[in-house]
Amino acid sequence: MVVVGVAALLSGCGAKLDNAQEAALVENAIANAEAVAENVTREARRDRLAERAPVRDAWVGKWIGVEGLVLEIAKGDAPGRYRITNTWSVDAGDSGTFNGRASEDGIVFRRGESRVELVAGNGDATGLKWLAGKKDCLIATPGEGYCRD
């Protein structure tokens, strides 16, 4: 349909497409349609996984890291969905709000180009001496954790 529209538009302007150009338009339209279908399928799969994953509502609230780092989890707009506000470094600009979803082991979200999965643990498992001994913690990445007292 897109190809026909582009071809009609070009022919209306007096431009004529040769077979190679028409074939390229068709190939491009098919590739775009396949990419859209793949994204829709991937998102639907993620929704199903979030619905089936264990609920992480007990994790809702504020979690404290070291040196002023903070992780705050709020319920999202659907079961298994969460809104995560996070300051993960003392560097300027290393904070933001992200959409997360429940996973088999925790809550998954994208922080920039990185996939982060919050998992339950204790202060010793964070690898941070300032959190050692704490019992109720979430681990984001090696050396990055947040605990509640």
Side-chain angles (χ1 to χ4, degrees):
M1 191 172 205
V2 171
V3 173
V4 173
V6 170
L9 179 64
L10 290 174
S11 66
C13 296
K16 295 197 185 225
L17 299 176
D18 63 26
N19 286 342
Q21 290 170 320
E22 285 182 9
L25 281 174
V26 169
E27 266 186 49
N28 191 26
I30 290 170
N32 284 337
E34 288 173 345
V36 167
E38 184 178 326
N39 285 338
V40 168
T41 302
R42 185 181 304 124
E43 193 57 36
R45 189 176 323 119
R46 287 179 180 156
D47 286 342
R48 283 193 309 277
L49 289 172
E51 289 169 2
R52 288 195 316 244
V55 176
R56 305 294 179 195
D57 291 355
W59 293 2
V60 169
K62 192 172 189 176
W63 299 77
I64 305 299
V66 299
E67 298 181 1
L69 306 186
V70 178
L71 173 76
E72 191 159 352
I73 301 172
K75 285 186 182 183
D77 57 359
R81 297 291 181 164
Y82 299 92
R83 194 85 173 131
I84 297 157
T85 303
N86 186 210
T87 300
W88 64 92
S89 164
V90 295
D91 295 337
D94 282 352
S95 63
T97 302
F98 312 95
N99 292 316
R101 63 175 173 78
S103 67
E104 188 65 32
D105 296 319
I107 297 176
V108 176
F109 65 99
R110 290 206 72 73
R111 191 167 64 191
E113 296 297 315
S114 301
R115 177 185 184 273
V116 177
E117 183 167 24
L118 300 170
V119 295
N122 59 38
D124 296 336
T126 68
L128 300 165
K129 67 180 179 180
W130 301 276
L131 299 179
K134 296 197 179 280
K135 304 289 183 216
D136 189 15
C137 302
L138 296 177
I139 302 164
T141 62
E144 179 189 354
Y146 305 88
C147 300
R148 294 195 232 200
D149 287 330

